[in-house]
Amino acid sequence: MRRFLDGLYGLGAVLAAVCTVGVLVAVLAGIVAREMGWNIPGTDAYAGYFMAAAGFLSLASTFKHGEHIRVTLILNSLAPARGRRLDIFALAVGVVLSAAFAWYSVKLAHDSWDYNDISTGNDATPLWIPQISMAVGTVFFFVALVDELVRRIQGHAAPSSQQTHE
């Protein structure tokens, strides 16, 4: 199971990296097209779609590598047992919030597909296409939070960026 979950988080990171390259390609295509006097509709929109996709798809991997900002000042000032309980509580709240976020992200993409919703820009992209990355990213993040909550309840330490870079 650990191997599968780490692979899932890694897949999100790889997809985020591909989307980051997509931002570069869309921006460069827009620049080159303007310089050549061409019109490529939607390059700005696609750069935005790719940027949002990169952000959402990288959430789980970033979290599991200890790269999300954590306010450890309070946790470090408490006794270890109390700090652990507070950390578990914070993760439980995160699980609930990320579950809602994932649910509504999936619902948004499905509703956009169901109603044939398209962007208002000149690219007229069906909105469910860029919304899929948000839905997938939030589901991966929810899974990562549940995974980390279970690990913390089992007594494992929180991931830190120092541990993952050594």
Side-chain angles (χ1 to χ4, degrees), residues 3 11 15 18 20 27 32 37 39 41 45 51 58 61 71-72 79 89 97 105-106 116 138 147 151 156 158:
R3 196 184 209 166
L11 173 64
L15 291 174
V18 169
T20 302
V27 169
V32 169
N39 178 31
M51 188 178 296
S58 65
S61 176
V71 182
T72 56
F89 173 75
L97 293 174
S105 295
V106 170
N116 297 317
T138 55
D147 176 25
R151 288 176 49 81
H156 296 278

Short mmCIF file of all heavy atoms in Angstrom, two decimals, residues 3 11 15 18 20 27 32 37 39 41 45 51 58 61 71-72 79 89 97 105-106 116 138 147 151 156 158:
data_model
loop_
_atom_site.label_atom_id
_atom_site.label_comp_id
_atom_site.label_asym_id
_atom_site.label_seq_id
_atom_site.Cartn_x
_atom_site.Cartn_y
_atom_site.Cartn_z
N ARG A 3 3.80 1.68 -1.22
CA ARG A 3 4.37 1.84 -2.56
C ARG A 3 3.35 2.46 -3.52
O ARG A 3 3.68 3.34 -4.31
CB ARG A 3 4.82 0.49 -3.06
CG ARG A 3 5.74 0.51 -4.20
CD ARG A 3 5.94 -0.92 -4.56
NE ARG A 3 7.19 -1.20 -5.14
CZ ARG A 3 7.64 -2.41 -5.27
NH1 ARG A 3 6.97 -3.42 -4.77
NH2 ARG A 3 8.76 -2.63 -5.87
N LEU A 11 3.04 10.43 -9.21
CA LEU A 11 2.32 10.68 -10.46
C LEU A 11 1.80 12.12 -10.50
O LEU A 11 1.92 12.80 -11.52
CB LEU A 11 1.16 9.69 -10.61
CG LEU A 11 0.21 9.93 -11.78
CD1 LEU A 11 0.94 9.77 -13.11
CD2 LEU A 11 -0.99 8.99 -11.69
N LEU A 15 2.86 14.86 -13.30
CA LEU A 15 1.85 15.58 -14.08
C LEU A 15 1.97 17.09 -13.86
O LEU A 15 1.80 17.88 -14.80
CB LEU A 15 0.45 15.09 -13.72
CG LEU A 15 0.11 13.66 -14.15
CD1 LEU A 15 -1.25 13.24 -13.60
CD2 LEU A 15 0.15 13.52 -15.66
N VAL A 18 4.82 18.30 -15.96
CA VAL A 18 4.40 18.38 -17.37
C VAL A 18 3.57 19.64 -17.59
O VAL A 18 3.73 20.35 -18.60
CB VAL A 18 3.63 17.11 -17.78
CG1 VAL A 18 2.96 17.28 -19.14
CG2 VAL A 18 4.56 15.91 -17.79
N THR A 20 3.78 22.38 -15.89
CA THR A 20 4.68 23.53 -15.81
C THR A 20 5.35 23.76 -17.16
O THR A 20 5.48 24.91 -17.62
CB THR A 20 5.74 23.32 -14.71
OG1 THR A 20 5.07 23.12 -13.46
CG2 THR A 20 6.67 24.50 -14.59
N VAL A 27 3.05 30.14 -23.11
CA VAL A 27 3.55 31.52 -23.07
C VAL A 27 4.47 31.79 -24.26
O VAL A 27 4.34 32.82 -24.94
CB VAL A 27 4.26 31.82 -21.73
CG1 VAL A 27 5.01 33.13 -21.78
CG2 VAL A 27 3.25 31.82 -20.59
N VAL A 32 5.78 34.21 -29.54
CA VAL A 32 6.21 34.02 -30.93
C VAL A 32 5.09 34.41 -31.89
O VAL A 32 5.34 35.08 -32.90
CB VAL A 32 6.68 32.56 -31.16
CG1 VAL A 32 6.88 32.26 -32.63
CG2 VAL A 32 7.95 32.28 -30.36
N GLY A 37 2.99 38.14 -36.00
CA GLY A 37 1.73 38.68 -36.50
C GLY A 37 0.62 37.65 -36.64
O GLY A 37 -0.36 37.86 -37.34
N ASN A 39 -2.30 34.95 -34.94
CA ASN A 39 -3.25 34.91 -33.83
C ASN A 39 -3.47 33.46 -33.43
O ASN A 39 -4.00 32.68 -34.21
CB ASN A 39 -4.58 35.56 -34.22
CG ASN A 39 -5.59 35.48 -33.09
OD1 ASN A 39 -5.22 35.49 -31.93
ND2 ASN A 39 -6.85 35.41 -33.44
N PRO A 41 -5.53 31.75 -30.75
CA PRO A 41 -6.50 32.03 -29.69
C PRO A 41 -6.28 31.16 -28.46
O PRO A 41 -6.00 29.97 -28.56
CB PRO A 41 -7.86 31.73 -30.33
CG PRO A 41 -7.58 31.03 -31.61
CD PRO A 41 -6.14 31.18 -31.94
N ALA A 45 -5.15 31.80 -21.87
CA ALA A 45 -6.04 30.93 -21.08
C ALA A 45 -5.38 29.58 -20.81
O ALA A 45 -5.43 29.07 -19.69
CB ALA A 45 -7.36 30.73 -21.82
N MET A 51 -1.07 26.40 -15.37
CA MET A 51 -0.53 26.86 -14.08
C MET A 51 -1.41 26.36 -12.93
O MET A 51 -0.89 25.88 -11.91
CB MET A 51 -0.45 28.38 -14.05
CG MET A 51 0.26 28.91 -12.83
SD MET A 51 0.42 30.69 -12.82
CE MET A 51 1.46 30.94 -14.24
N SER A 58 0.33 19.15 -7.73
CA SER A 58 1.52 19.02 -6.88
C SER A 58 1.20 19.05 -5.38
O SER A 58 2.10 18.85 -4.57
CB SER A 58 2.52 20.12 -7.22
OG SER A 58 1.97 21.38 -6.90
N SER A 61 2.12 15.60 -3.33
CA SER A 61 3.56 15.34 -3.28
C SER A 61 4.28 16.36 -2.42
O SER A 61 5.15 16.02 -1.61
CB SER A 61 4.15 15.36 -4.70
OG SER A 61 5.53 15.19 -4.67
N VAL A 71 3.05 25.64 10.84
CA VAL A 71 3.36 26.50 11.98
C VAL A 71 3.74 25.59 13.13
O VAL A 71 2.89 25.08 13.85
CB VAL A 71 2.16 27.40 12.33
CG1 VAL A 71 2.51 28.32 13.48
CG2 VAL A 71 1.72 28.19 11.12
N THR A 72 5.03 25.36 13.27
CA THR A 72 5.51 24.43 14.29
C THR A 72 5.86 25.11 15.61
O THR A 72 6.20 24.44 16.57
CB THR A 72 6.76 23.67 13.78
OG1 THR A 72 7.75 24.62 13.41
CG2 THR A 72 6.40 22.79 12.59
N ALA A 79 4.37 19.98 25.27
CA ALA A 79 4.92 18.68 25.61
C ALA A 79 4.67 17.73 24.43
O ALA A 79 3.68 17.89 23.72
CB ALA A 79 4.26 18.15 26.88
N PHE A 89 -5.20 16.44 15.60
CA PHE A 89 -6.42 17.24 15.45
C PHE A 89 -6.36 18.09 14.19
O PHE A 89 -7.32 18.16 13.42
CB PHE A 89 -6.63 18.13 16.69
CG PHE A 89 -7.77 19.09 16.54
CD1 PHE A 89 -9.08 18.64 16.63
CD2 PHE A 89 -7.53 20.43 16.27
CE1 PHE A 89 -10.14 19.53 16.47
CE2 PHE A 89 -8.58 21.32 16.11
CZ PHE A 89 -9.89 20.88 16.21
N LEU A 97 -11.77 19.20 5.62
CA LEU A 97 -11.79 20.31 4.66
C LEU A 97 -11.38 19.85 3.26
O LEU A 97 -11.99 20.25 2.26
CB LEU A 97 -10.88 21.44 5.13
CG LEU A 97 -11.34 22.18 6.39
CD1 LEU A 97 -10.28 23.18 6.83
CD2 LEU A 97 -12.67 22.86 6.16
N SER A 105 -14.85 19.85 -6.07
CA SER A 105 -14.04 19.96 -7.29
C SER A 105 -14.47 18.92 -8.32
O SER A 105 -14.59 19.22 -9.51
CB SER A 105 -12.56 19.79 -6.97
OG SER A 105 -12.10 20.82 -6.16
N VAL A 106 -14.70 17.71 -7.85
CA VAL A 106 -15.18 16.65 -8.75
C VAL A 106 -16.57 17.00 -9.26
O VAL A 106 -16.88 16.86 -10.45
CB VAL A 106 -15.16 15.28 -8.04
CG1 VAL A 106 -15.88 14.22 -8.86
CG2 VAL A 106 -13.73 14.85 -7.73
N ASN A 116 -22.25 21.07 -20.60
CA ASN A 116 -21.46 21.54 -21.75
C ASN A 116 -21.00 22.98 -21.56
O ASN A 116 -21.06 23.79 -22.48
CB ASN A 116 -22.25 21.40 -23.06
CG ASN A 116 -22.57 19.96 -23.38
OD1 ASN A 116 -21.71 19.09 -23.24
ND2 ASN A 116 -23.80 19.70 -23.78
N THR A 138 -7.08 17.62 -5.97
CA THR A 138 -7.69 17.70 -4.63
C THR A 138 -7.98 16.31 -4.08
O THR A 138 -7.87 16.09 -2.87
CB THR A 138 -8.98 18.54 -4.64
OG1 THR A 138 -9.88 18.04 -5.61
CG2 THR A 138 -8.66 20.00 -4.93
N ASP A 147 -3.76 9.56 4.61
CA ASP A 147 -2.56 8.74 4.79
C ASP A 147 -1.72 9.28 5.96
O ASP A 147 -1.30 8.53 6.85
CB ASP A 147 -1.76 8.74 3.49
CG ASP A 147 -0.43 8.01 3.58
OD1 ASP A 147 -0.28 7.11 4.43
OD2 ASP A 147 0.46 8.34 2.76
N ARG A 151 -0.86 7.61 9.59
CA ARG A 151 0.54 7.43 10.00
C ARG A 151 0.82 8.11 11.35
O ARG A 151 1.52 7.56 12.19
CB ARG A 151 1.49 7.98 8.93
CG ARG A 151 1.55 7.11 7.68
CD ARG A 151 2.42 7.72 6.59
NE ARG A 151 3.72 8.17 7.04
CZ ARG A 151 4.79 7.38 7.22
NH1 ARG A 151 4.69 6.09 6.97
NH2 ARG A 151 5.94 7.88 7.61
N HIS A 156 4.06 7.64 13.76
CA HIS A 156 5.12 8.12 12.87
C HIS A 156 5.27 9.63 13.00
O HIS A 156 4.32 10.35 13.26
CB HIS A 156 4.81 7.78 11.41
CG HIS A 156 4.75 6.31 11.15
ND1 HIS A 156 5.88 5.55 10.94
CD2 HIS A 156 3.71 5.45 11.07
CE1 HIS A 156 5.53 4.29 10.73
NE2 HIS A 156 4.22 4.20 10.82
N ALA A 158 6.06 13.54 11.69
CA ALA A 158 5.65 14.33 10.54
C ALA A 158 6.77 14.38 9.52
O ALA A 158 7.94 14.40 9.89
CB ALA A 158 5.30 15.75 10.99
#
